[in-house]
Amino acid sequence: FPVTIVGVALGLSPWVSPFTLWARKMGLIEGQASSPAMRAGSFFERPVKEFWLQENPGWELFETGTWVSKSVPWAVANPDGILRDADGNLVLLEIKTSRYPVSELPLSYRAQVMWYLWILGLERAKVVYMSGFELFEFDVLFDSFEAEANFDVVSRWWNYVEHGVQPDWDGAANTLETVREMNPDIDAGLSVELGQLGNDLLTSVAELSVCEGRVRELKCRVLDVMGSAKSGLVDGVERVIRSARKGGTPFLTVKGE
């Protein structure tokens, strides 16, 4: 069980859905090719680790390999290292690199680290996240409730893979692309009666059209109220931003959209 897919199986990955990962494991679509960003992440893991240790001399690092859960043979962990602090406490170390800075640890990374803590029986992890020349540190404390809840979902997904059973549908854009890839042919002489499924689709498309119109209306009203302001606040929190590209007219971005 590749530990890097824990966040995906939990539905926390912004790029790959649980359905898409299942389809890859089943051989229904081609596997994901290694990208330059993925290879760079592996390449820079050691120098980032060494740089962080140089900047934090109070820690001792133990290199480690793959760990297997005593109770669940398919559950494994591949931590980037185990640290020992000045008081002798052992702390899991995980290195992440990205071109994008973050203010909080992405949930998919937290899930992976929580998985490692559960398998190793450790209480604390330190995630060192490098973006450009900036280092961000995040401490994660083991939460038994969260770990058990994660395990239940991941175990259920893994059972789908082991038994060749299709998981539940989801609304991820990535899943839609996967289903398109799974059905590439078009038979011009074939028709299929969709029944209630077709009615549900038509109803949802109509509802979406109404919602999109409402969103456009509200964006117009917000732009008008904001005038030349850069950002818009909701209950004191910045949620809306006006920006422009290469001297073009300003457009509106809603955080979390």
Side-chain angles (χ1 to χ4, degrees), residues 8-237:
V8 177
L10 289 169
L12 299 176
S13 170
W15 302 286
V16 182
S17 70
F19 184 95
T20 293
L21 187 59
W22 172 83
R24 286 176 181 167
K25 292 295 181 184
M26 291 293 97
L28 301 177
I29 60 173
E30 293 185 3
Q32 182 181 23
S34 175
S35 67
M38 295 167 63
R39 294 193 294 273
S42 298
F43 180 84
F44 286 111
E45 177 187 308
R46 176 161 294 279
V48 170
K49 186 189 305 182
E50 292 175 351
F51 178 73
W52 183 85
L53 286 169
Q54 179 179 302
E55 296 295 304
N56 298 270
W59 295 87
E60 182 181 4
L61 173 67
F62 298 94
E63 300 287 354
T64 184
T66 299
W67 298 73
V68 181
S69 168
K70 291 182 179 180
S71 58
V72 186
W74 55 263
V76 300
N78 292 312
D80 294 329
I82 296 178
L83 298 167
R84 182 161 61 190
D85 64 18
D87 297 323
N89 300 306
L90 296 180
V91 179
L92 180 80
L93 174 65
E94 187 66 19
I95 305 295
K96 297 296 183 184
T97 58
S98 174
R99 72 185 70 177
Y100 306 109
V102 293
S103 58
E104 58 184 24
L105 186 65
L107 292 177
S108 58
Y109 293 163
R110 177 181 173 85
Q112 180 184 349
V113 169
M114 194 65 66
W115 185 265
Y116 288 175
L117 291 174
W118 167 67
I119 291 176
L120 272 69
L122 296 177
E123 294 296 323
R124 180 184 166 202
K126 182 173 288 293
V127 180
V128 177
Y129 183 107
M130 172 164 271
S131 174
F133 294 108
E134 287 190 90
L135 273 182
F136 303 85
E137 292 184 29
F138 302 96
D139 288 321
V140 178
L141 299 179
F142 180 70
D143 184 311
S144 60
F145 178 82
E146 180 179 345
E148 290 173 8
N150 287 353
F151 173 76
D152 287 344
V153 176
V154 174
S155 178
R156 185 161 56 250
W157 180 88
W158 186 244
N159 282 333
Y160 291 143
V161 174
E162 287 191 315
H163 296 96
V165 177
Q166 180 178 305
D168 296 335
W169 293 107
D170 58 62
N174 178 249
T175 295
L176 179 58
E177 293 303 314
T178 294
V179 178
R180 291 174 61 189
E181 187 176 345
M182 289 168 56
N183 299 274
D185 300 326
I186 299 177
D187 186 340
L190 180 63
S191 297
V192 175
E193 173 56 48
L194 299 176
Q196 186 58 46
L197 178 62
N199 288 326
D200 290 343
L201 173 62
L202 295 175
T203 299
S204 295
V205 169
E207 291 173 347
L208 175 62
S209 178
V210 172
C211 289
E212 288 178 335
R214 175 61 172 162
V215 170
R216 285 192 294 270
E217 175 198 334
L218 290 170
K219 284 186 174 182
C220 290
R221 294 168 62 182
V222 167
L223 281 168
D224 183 58
V225 169
M226 288 180 67
S228 61
K230 170 68 175 178
S231 61
L233 310 180
V234 178
D235 296 328
V237 179

